[in-house]
Amino acid sequence: MALLRPAFLLLILFTLITGGLYPLLTTALGQWWFHDQANGSLIREGDNVRGSRLLGQDFTQPGYFHGRPSATADAPYNPMASGGSNLAGSNPELDKEVAQRVAQLRADNPQADTHVPVELITTSASGLDGQLSPQAAEWQIPRVAQARNLPVQEVTKLMAEHTSTPLVNFIGQPVVNVVELNLALDALKDK
């Protein structure tokens, strides 16, 4: 009994620290220092939530930039079922899916180069990517400009405005936020 008492007291102490104090502290610090990220990085227009800066959406209409394909279960970009497809590079099903995506992208983008950027045909590990490389976004500009009856230069300028670069070049690559770019395209229509 003498050995059980200290063990039981330590169990209670560490349960309070790791199950109560630590989560409360990290939540409070997250809300204080990273309020926007801790609350989902939501994009709001008035009282409406239009999306998140961190998660992709399923844009399929020709007047919108399309993001990376999503491998989430049930529905594309389902945040409750995040995950990759787990198909190996040697799996014939993966080859079939990639070939179908390439054919569809070439049919939807006849003015674009026949070399389709790899990130437009392969899914990510999360299946929720909301960003593309500038090269993958540029590849889609002719289709988007034609569908919206806009000059290519105007769409290119808008894409450049929604391209973010890392603070230091060796830390990462420039990326285009697809959701924000598509919302900016919709805002052009409202002007």
Side-chain angles (χ1 to χ4, degrees):
M1 194 64 162
L3 293 175
L4 288 178
R5 184 171 180 229
F8 185 69
L9 289 175
L10 283 174
L11 173 68
I12 291 173
L13 176 68
F14 285 119
T15 299
L16 290 173
I17 290 172
T18 60
L21 184 63
Y22 179 76
L24 286 173
L25 179 65
T26 56
T27 300
L29 290 176
Q31 288 294 325
W32 183 32
W33 287 333
F34 306 104
H35 181 75
D36 186 50
Q37 294 92 333
N39 291 300
S41 299
L42 299 178
I43 301 170
R44 297 180 186 274
E45 287 183 357
D47 292 337
N48 298 326
V49 174
R50 298 295 306 268
S52 170
R53 287 176 184 81
L54 304 175
L55 301 176
Q57 292 183 16
D58 192 21
F59 294 102
T60 57
Q61 296 177 336
Y64 288 103
F65 285 88
H66 302 172
R68 272 188 100 154
S70 175
T72 59
D74 300 330
Y77 300 99
N78 179 359
M80 302 305 287
S82 173
S85 70
N86 290 333
L87 294 177
S90 60
N91 190 318
E93 184 64 29
L94 180 62
D95 290 339
K96 181 179 163 188
E97 287 179 13
V98 167
Q100 288 172 343
R101 289 181 191 135
V102 168
Q104 186 64 50
L105 284 164
R106 285 183 178 153
D108 292 346
N109 298 276
Q111 315 91 322
D113 182 14
T114 57
H115 176 72
V116 180
V118 71
E119 66 195 280
L120 291 175
I121 56 175
T122 57
T123 62
S124 68
S126 70
L128 302 173
D129 282 2
Q131 300 172 333
L132 288 174
S133 69
Q135 295 79 15
E138 285 173 10
W139 190 84
Q140 301 179 67
I141 287 176
R143 172 185 42 84
V144 173
Q146 181 181 14
R148 290 188 177 255
N149 294 318
L150 292 170
V152 169
Q153 296 82 3
E154 187 174 351
V155 178
T156 303
K157 181 179 178 238
L158 196 62
M159 187 214 70
E161 291 170 3
H162 288 86
T163 301
S164 59
T165 55
L167 188 59
V168 183
N169 285 343
F170 65 84
I171 291 179
Q173 300 294 319
V175 292
V176 178
N177 188 303
V178 177
V179 175
E180 289 180 336
L181 178 56
N182 285 333
L183 290 174
L185 284 166
D186 285 345
L188 286 178
K189 180 174 55 175
D190 298 336
K191 288 183 179 179

